[in-house]
């Protein structure tokens, strides 16, 4: 696929197969289109005025950009967690339940909230204060609350755009541990500037770079342990050893 | 240079590895010389010098681990540091064999040797050359050179077999010499093992360059009966 902002082609000729129930890290220097690619996976780029995509993104064999596809439903099934934790100015409970409520969930909401907060490794810390504001939590807790909110609508894929870059090192490691647990049930794609994080926390890594025409392109995609020990492409080697970028 | 400090520290590790390798290579030749020439003082010096080799090995290994902890090397850098750690371990073991030959020399004592170890100086020289080439391959990241070096071990093995046969023949003809011949067999064994360790170094050089660790041991051949 190719992604454009107006006439500017931001990413070109991207051809990648994301492995289910695995963690895929997207790495590369600033401006190479990692976040554009990530947002393409759940049509978040639709919200940017002059963005367009040429090509296909197939989810269960169906092109999510085909006519008639509901982008809201796409975003329910392919959820997103952002760099800056963004809990709503609501209670912890309401934050977690929000997505399910607006999707018309009719089941046991208390059970859903507990399950989601447990899966986000936050339940024990907040179970006695679910009525408190989500904004009263620490940065790391807020991010886990956002993950719980995403999980509550039962997505299949979770996209994470530098989910730990605004957090302290301990909170970062807790998010990484959480991601390892989540992959049992979800496919996870994570953009990160932190190569050590990509090496620690992912199963597969896709390295993007910027070409001379300033379009981002996929340089190499492989199992993380292979890419970080013996990359096939010289440019990958240069980037992950810090010789450029 | 984006990672100037890291590059300098890597180069420093490599330089120290090469210097240690050169010292270890010289010690193999010295060990056989002190044996051949009955230089018991030289033998004691070699034994004492092993402590310094061990110290240098630990230093290189520790500094390599510090680099891993502080610089989080990836890919080729990581493989280089891993191979440096392994190669210094092999060098330390090679020097242990030289120390072993020197100890055998002391155990034999101040007696002259029968004319049965004529091939050992050549074995020592060839081993030193193999080691020099292996370290050259490491320095130049030359996997092809590293792959070619084990062939030289076949020559050393052939000389080992010849010498071993000569020792067996001598002790068969001179049963009272069994203790002397036993020490010489141990010295011969140490020398042959030193060459085998150089092959291990070649394997780590290839791993560093290609990312693949492949064993290069030559086929085992039993020494001929006396």
């Amino acid at each position: 696929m190719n992604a454009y902002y107006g006439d500017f082609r931001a990413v070109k000729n991207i051809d990648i197969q994301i492995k289910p129930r695995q963690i895929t890290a997207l790495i590369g220097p600033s401006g190479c289109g990692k976040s554009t690619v990530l947002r393409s996976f759940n049509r978040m780029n639709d919200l940017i005025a002059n963005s367009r995509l040429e090509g296909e993104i197939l989810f269960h064999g169906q092109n999510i950009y085909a006519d008639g596809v509901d982008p809201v439903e796409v975003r329910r099934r392919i959820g997103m967690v952002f760099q800056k934790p963004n809990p709503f100015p609501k209670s912890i409970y309401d934050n977690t339940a929000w997505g399910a409520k607006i999707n018309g969930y009719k089941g046991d909401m208390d059970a859903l909230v507990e399950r989601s907060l447990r899966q986000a490794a936050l339940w024990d810390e907040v179970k006695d204060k679910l009525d408190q504001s989500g904004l009263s939590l620490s940065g790391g807790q807020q991010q886990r609350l956002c993950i719980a909110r995403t999980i509550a609508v039962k997505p299949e894929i979770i996209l994470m755009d530098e989910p730990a870059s605004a957090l302290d090192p301990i909170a970062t490691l807790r998010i990484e541990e959480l991601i390892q647990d989540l992959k049992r049930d979800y496919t996870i794609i994570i953009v990160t500037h932190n190569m050590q994080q990509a090496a620690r926390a992912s199963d597969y890594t896709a390295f993007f770079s910027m070409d001379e025409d300033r379009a981002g392109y996929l340089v190499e995609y492989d199992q993380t342990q292979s890419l970080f020990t013996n990359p096939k492409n010289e440019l990958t080697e240069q980037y992950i050893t810090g010789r450029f970028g | 240079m984006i990672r100037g400090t890291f590059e300098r520290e890597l180069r420093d590790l490599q330089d120290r590895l090469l210097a240690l390798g050169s010292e270890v290579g010289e010690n193999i030749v010295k060990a056989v010389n002190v044996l051949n020439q009955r230089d018991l003082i030289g033998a004691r010096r070699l034994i004492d010098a092993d402590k310094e080799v061990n110290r240098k090995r630990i230093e290189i290994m520790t500094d390599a681990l510090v680099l891993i902890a502080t610089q989080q090397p990836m890919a080729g850098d990581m493989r280089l540091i891993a191979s440096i750690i392994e190669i210094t371990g092999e060098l330390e073991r090679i020097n242990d064999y030289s120390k072993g030959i020197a100890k055998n020399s002391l155990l034999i004592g101040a007696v002259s040797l029968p004319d049965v170890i004529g091939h050992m100086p050549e074995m020592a020289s060839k081993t030193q050359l193999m080691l020099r080439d292996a370290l050259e391959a490491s320095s130049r990241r030359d996997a092809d050179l590293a792959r070619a070096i084990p062939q030289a071990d076949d020559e050393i093995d052939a000389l080992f077999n010849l010498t071993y046969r000569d020792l067996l023949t001598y002790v068969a003809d001179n049963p009272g010499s069994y203790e002397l011949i036993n020490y010489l067999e141990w010295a011969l064994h140490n020398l042959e093992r030193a060459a085998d360790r150089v092959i291990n170094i070649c394997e780590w050089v290839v791993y560093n360059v290609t990312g693949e660790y492949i064993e290069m041991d030559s086929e085992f051949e039993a020494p001929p009966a006396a």
Side-chain angles (χ1 to χ4, degrees):
Chain A
M1 65 91 169
N2 293 265
Y4 294 82
Y5 298 112
D7 293 329
F8 172 64
R9 186 167 60 167
V11 293
K12 63 181 180 180
N13 307 326
I14 305 298
D15 185 357
I16 187 171
Q17 278 205 342
I18 301 296
K19 309 285 185 224
R21 305 277 176 97
Q22 299 286 287
I23 302 165
T24 299
L26 311 185
I27 65 170
S30 296
C32 71
K34 309 183 291 294
S35 293
T36 297
V37 169
L38 189 77
R39 288 195 301 266
S40 298
F41 288 148
N42 72 344
R43 297 188 58 167
M44 286 295 287
N45 281 334
D46 289 9
L47 305 176
I48 299 171
N50 58 353
S51 79
R52 64 186 167 88
L53 184 136
E54 290 178 2
E56 294 182 325
I57 292 182
L58 301 180
F59 177 54
H60 291 300
Q62 192 177 12
N63 181 16
I64 64 174
Y65 285 85
D67 290 337
V69 172
D70 179 7
V72 174
E73 178 61 12
V74 168
R75 292 178 202 126
R76 186 194 72 73
R77 297 175 71 182
I78 305 175
M80 192 143 186
V81 175
F82 299 91
Q83 178 178 356
K84 191 171 181 313
N86 61 349
F88 303 134
K90 293 174 177 297
S91 70
I92 293 167
Y93 185 102
D94 286 341
N95 262 281
T96 311
W98 178 82
K101 268 190 195 150
I102 64 166
N103 275 284
Y105 182 71
K106 295 282 188 281
D108 183 343
M109 190 61 81
D110 288 354
L112 177 66
V113 165
E114 179 176 341
R115 194 164 56 242
S116 301
L117 287 170
R118 279 190 187 281
Q119 269 202 300
L122 190 58
W123 173 254
D124 287 337
E125 294 166 54
V126 302
K127 63 181 188 283
D128 298 322
K129 53 180 184 178
L130 294 176
D131 55 345
Q132 285 190 22
S133 170
L135 300 175
S136 68
L137 300 175
S138 70
Q141 288 174 322
Q142 287 187 20
Q143 191 65 299
R144 281 181 278 146
L145 178 61
C146 294
I147 292 172
R149 184 176 67 197
T150 302
I151 291 169
V153 296
K154 294 194 174 54
E156 292 175 53
I157 300 175
I158 303 175
L159 309 176
M160 299 190 174
D161 196 348
E162 300 191 56
S165 64
L167 306 180
D168 63 67
I170 299 295
T172 294
L173 289 175
R174 292 183 84 171
I175 293 291
E176 289 176 15
E177 285 296 307
L178 173 58
I179 292 170
Q180 291 296 322
D181 290 338
L182 290 175
K183 81 170 184 185
R184 278 198 302 265
D185 299 313
Y186 309 97
T187 300
I188 297 175
I189 308 171
I190 172 172
V191 164
T192 180
H193 272 126
N194 185 329
M195 269 185 301
Q196 283 72 37
Q197 179 174 86
R200 275 194 305 269
S202 72
D203 303 301
Y204 288 84
T205 297
F207 167 55
F208 294 82
S209 188
M210 192 192 300
D211 212 342
E212 285 170 5
D213 58 0
R214 293 183 56 221
Y217 69 103
L218 177 63
V219 177
E220 188 169 346
Y221 174 52
D222 203 347
Q223 290 188 309
T224 294
Q225 63 183 22
S226 295
L227 192 136
F228 280 97
T229 57
N230 195 17
K232 296 182 178 57
N233 192 294
E234 179 61 25
L235 198 60
T236 313
E237 171 95 26
Q238 296 276 325
Y239 180 72
I240 67 176
T241 58
R243 264 69 176 191
F244 98 88
Chain B
M1 199 187 298
I2 294 179
R3 299 191 76 179
T5 302
F6 178 50
E7 299 264 9
R8 277 192 301 276
E9 289 176 351
L10 261 186
R11 260 200 316 275
D12 177 65
L13 269 187
Q14 289 178 278
D15 289 344
R16 284 154 63 192
L17 174 74
L18 292 178
L20 181 62
S22 180
E23 182 182 345
V24 167
E26 284 169 10
N27 287 346
I28 298 167
V29 173
K30 278 183 193 168
V32 172
N33 283 346
V34 301
L35 173 70
N36 224 6
Q37 293 156 14
R38 314 308 312 118
D39 178 0
L40 301 187
I41 293 173
R44 281 196 191 88
R45 272 203 212 104
L46 265 178
I47 292 167
D48 289 341
D50 185 63
K51 293 192 191 67
E52 183 62 10
V53 169
N54 292 347
R55 187 193 64 76
K56 286 177 184 169
R57 180 250 171 147
I58 300 280
E59 241 182 34
I60 292 172
M61 186 184 71
T62 307
D63 290 347
L65 291 175
V66 166
L67 264 192
I68 291 172
T70 57
Q71 298 284 351
Q72 292 98 48
M74 300 283 192
D77 294 335
M78 181 211 65
R79 296 198 311 271
L80 172 61
I81 294 173
S83 68
I84 286 173
I85 290 173
E86 291 292 334
I87 290 171
T88 48
E90 295 295 339
L91 290 176
E92 191 257 338
R93 289 298 295 131
I94 290 171
N95 210 70
D96 283 346
Y97 292 128
S98 297
K99 183 175 81 173
I101 294 170
K103 280 185 172 176
N104 294 138
S105 198
L106 290 183
L107 287 167
I108 289 170
V111 300
S112 40
L113 296 180
D115 187 21
V116 287
I117 60 166
H119 298 301
M120 282 182 70
E122 189 182 352
M123 286 173 71
S125 289
K126 284 186 186 300
T127 303
Q128 184 189 28
L129 277 175
M130 277 176 69
L131 179 57
R132 184 202 65 187
D133 288 345
L135 294 172
E136 173 85 11
S138 173
S139 174
R140 291 194 340 223
R141 291 175 49 81
D142 189 339
D144 290 334
L145 174 57
R147 286 190 198 99
I149 291 166
Q151 288 168 18
D153 187 51
D154 292 342
E155 298 169 23
I156 293 173
D157 287 345
L159 293 172
F160 170 86
N161 289 336
L162 283 175
T163 307
Y164 190 74
R165 186 191 60 193
D166 290 346
L167 289 171
L168 291 181
T169 303
Y170 187 87
V171 78
D173 294 341
N174 302 274
S177 70
Y178 75 89
E179 196 173 3
L180 165 68
I181 298 302
N182 182 45
Y183 291 138
L184 289 175
E185 280 177 357
W186 273 109
L188 179 67
H189 169 81
N190 282 333
L191 190 52
E192 193 267 338
R193 286 298 292 131
D196 289 344
R197 290 277 172 181
V198 177
I199 297 181
N200 294 350
I201 291 174
C202 296
E203 291 168 355
W204 284 108
V205 171
V206 172
Y207 168 73
N208 173 29
V209 176
T210 68
E212 273 193 86
Y213 187 86
I214 298 172
E215 299 225 3
M216 296 188 207
D217 284 342
S218 46
E219 293 290 325
F220 170 71
E221 279 185 35

